[in-house]
Amino acid sequence: MTSTDGLRLHPFRGLRYDRERVSSLTAVMSPPYDVVVRPDGVRHLETADPYNIVRLILPHAADPTTRHRQAADTLRRWRAEGVLRQDDEPALYVYEQRSGEVLQRGLIGALGLDGPVLPHEGVIPEVVEDRAALMRAAAANFEPLLLSYRSQGTSTGAAAVIERTVERDPLLATTTEDGFAHRLWAVTDPADLTAVDDDLAGRQALIADGHHRWATYQRLYEQQPGATAASPWASGLVLLVDTARYPLQVRAIHRVLPHLPPAKALADLAGAFRARTLPGELSAALEALEETPGTAFVLAGGPDSFHLLDRPDPSLLDRTIRPDRPEAWRRLDATVLHSVLLDEVWHIPDHPSDISYIHHTGAAVEQAARHGGTAVLMRATSEETVRQLAEHGVTMPRKSTSFGPKPATGLVLRTLDDHRN
């Protein structure tokens, strides 16, 4: 689509759970589909309530076509039974997440695909195709991706609408197992919607989490015959957060190499990095990693096996890392990991069977130990670095950084088969 000068966040008729038809809102919610990676995580959600949203975002079946049809059939059945009900009028939704000192507020809406949205990572075509087939079959956006933008930090425009709205009673409020309290409000007043629209008209957004979903929205629009800018397929479900007011948390995403034993990982270094054994537990290893200047990683083979890698061979860096990229990109830990260690030293293909991307440190170490492989524990990249590179059109290695809090899945869905949405 041709890019416009600013962001257009459209109201839509949200599809939400009827609380009288489910055991609780918490029991039907889920983390984003790409965070629910372990089979036991899926099973836990499925057993929490028969109507848990995981049955839509990660359906079970022997082949993709059957999975997608199953999700579509489940969605239609839940709507027919009244488990999911559509709101009467289009709205933007103020969404609040709170846990301890962490507070995040933003707007959920249907963002026009022709706005200035900056990606910072590449995508896997096979994942995009799978997500597109699922959304096409169900004619729905099941979960919002997370976008950030920067205002001047003042309480005007969209920020003023949000702050006024949270003074009212919410549509719903619940607390999930991770301790986060979630609240949702509908914004339908024409003056408020105009204030948001005027404020966002000069903004650009950074994809914080959900590159595959954004690419999926674009793919779906391209595949709709005769689709115009007025089509529901010309926009996609997002949560838009002003990080000048509500800074995102930034965490690392770790790699697990199930077919690379720790002893071989260290032996193959052959002077490419300095490697030192770290005594103690995981927390001490992570502390040592954070305190190490320059490029550094922790290799873990289990809960009592940690090695710190740092001081890479400069000549190896010069030979293996692309010279046509900004210095900030060349210095990224993720750049060095993929260009030097995975590609040159260990010869690990970037394929799901050879590399797993794990958000939780303990889970990464546990998975490596279970397979007899190696976990590469990473440090997070700052949002400012990510934004600066994205503004220059430079994408980072995939899964370089995890932004959050991520929006929970199941609070509000968006249908694409109703032009009133």
Side-chain angles (χ1 to χ4, degrees):
M1 300 183 69
T2 303
S3 179
T4 61
D5 293 334
L7 304 172
R8 296 298 306 275
L9 192 65
H10 304 288
F12 68 101
R13 295 177 62 217
L15 189 67
R16 299 187 293 111
Y17 280 100
D18 182 340
R19 282 173 286 188
E20 300 300 319
R21 299 297 307 275
V22 298
S23 58
S24 71
L25 287 176
T26 299
V28 296
M29 292 166 60
S30 166
Y33 81 95
D34 56 344
V35 177
V36 188
V37 293
R38 296 185 300 178
D40 57 337
V42 175
R43 286 193 296 271
H44 172 73
L45 293 168
E46 287 178 333
T47 56
D49 188 283
Y51 300 112
N52 189 282
I53 193 71
V54 78
R55 297 180 186 275
L56 298 180
I57 63 173
L58 291 172
H60 287 296
D63 63 274
T65 300
T66 305
R67 286 199 303 271
H68 304 148
R69 186 174 60 248
Q70 179 177 305
D73 291 343
T74 300
L75 176 61
R76 281 192 291 269
R77 185 174 68 255
W78 289 0
R79 294 181 70 179
E81 294 173 355
V83 174
L84 290 169
R85 297 182 181 275
Q86 198 159 32
D87 288 339
D88 292 334
E89 56 183 321
L92 296 179
Y93 295 86
V94 172
Y95 176 38
E96 177 188 274
Q97 296 161 274
R98 184 192 295 267
S99 178
E101 296 181 355
V102 177
L103 173 63
Q104 180 170 286
R105 289 172 177 157
L107 288 166
I108 294 177
L111 187 69
L113 303 182
D114 55 352
V117 174
L118 305 174
H120 69 266
E121 292 181 1
V123 297
I124 302 174
E126 293 83 359
V127 175
V128 174
E129 285 298 335
D130 181 74
R131 290 287 108 183
L134 175 66
M135 290 189 203
R136 187 186 310 111
N141 298 155
F142 290 134
E143 47 190 337
L145 56 92
L146 176 61
L147 302 181
S148 73
Y149 73 99
R150 287 282 180 87
S151 72
Q152 284 69 47
T154 56
S155 298
T156 59
V161 172
I162 291 172
E163 299 310 319
R164 285 197 303 270
T165 300
V166 298
E167 296 299 319
R168 307 196 316 251
D169 290 336
L171 288 174
L172 60 87
T174 190
T175 300
T176 43
E177 291 181 348
D178 58 6
F180 268 91
H182 306 262
R183 296 198 294 171
L184 191 76
W185 296 259
V187 177
T188 58
D189 182 86
D192 285 342
L193 296 176
T194 297
V196 171
D197 196 50
D198 291 345
D199 187 14
L200 297 180
R203 311 287 185 198
Q204 65 178 10
L206 174 73
I207 301 178
D209 183 73
H211 284 80
H212 286 91
R213 275 166 282 171
W214 185 254
T216 296
Y217 296 160
Q218 294 174 316
R219 178 69 54 83
L220 287 170
Y221 174 77
E222 294 167 358
Q223 293 174 344
Q224 292 302 309
T228 67
S231 165
W233 299 90
S235 55
L237 188 63
V238 307
L239 167 63
L240 195 58
V241 175
D242 176 6
T243 53
R245 296 181 62 81
Y246 299 103
L248 297 176
Q249 296 178 301
V250 188
R251 294 190 173 93
I253 302 178
H254 312 291
R255 278 67 168 158
V256 174
L257 314 175
H259 307 307
L260 181 67
K264 178 172 172 52
L266 291 168
D268 287 352
L269 290 175
F273 282 73
R274 181 175 70 168
R276 291 176 287 162
T277 301
L278 293 175
E281 300 178 343
L282 175 58
S283 59
L286 294 175
E287 184 177 346
L289 177 61
E290 291 294 339
E291 293 175 351
T292 302
T295 302
F297 313 96
V298 165
L299 300 191
D304 55 0
S305 171
F306 302 104
H307 291 81
L308 179 68
L309 303 190
D310 67 346
R311 299 187 184 180
D313 178 357
S315 63
L316 180 61
L317 299 182
D318 291 340
R319 179 166 56 84
T320 56
I321 296 179
R322 291 177 55 170
D324 61 341
R325 293 295 181 95
E327 186 62 21
W329 182 88
R330 292 171 53 81
R331 292 197 308 266
L332 290 172
D333 284 353
T335 297
V336 176
L337 172 64
H338 283 263
S339 298
V340 181
L341 283 173
L342 296 179
D343 292 350
E344 182 72 13
V345 174
W346 293 329
H347 305 291
I348 304 291
D350 192 358
H351 188 274
S353 63
D354 296 287
I355 303 177
S356 298
Y357 294 86
I358 307 296
H359 291 74
H360 300 288
T361 311
V365 174
E366 175 189 331
Q367 185 167 314
R370 187 166 63 250
H371 291 285
T374 299
V376 183
L377 307 183
M378 309 281 289
R379 298 177 294 198
T381 304
S382 71
E383 180 187 354
E384 193 55 38
T385 297
V386 174
R387 186 178 296 276
Q388 288 175 357
L389 289 172
E391 287 174 348
H392 286 87
V394 178
T395 57
M396 301 170 64
R398 191 164 59 85
K399 300 292 185 183
S400 293
T401 294
S402 174
F403 289 91
K406 302 179 191 303
T409 300
L411 288 175
V412 60
L413 290 66
R414 174 177 177 251
T415 59
L416 299 168
D417 55 358
D418 183 340
H419 284 272
R420 294 174 296 165
N421 68 5

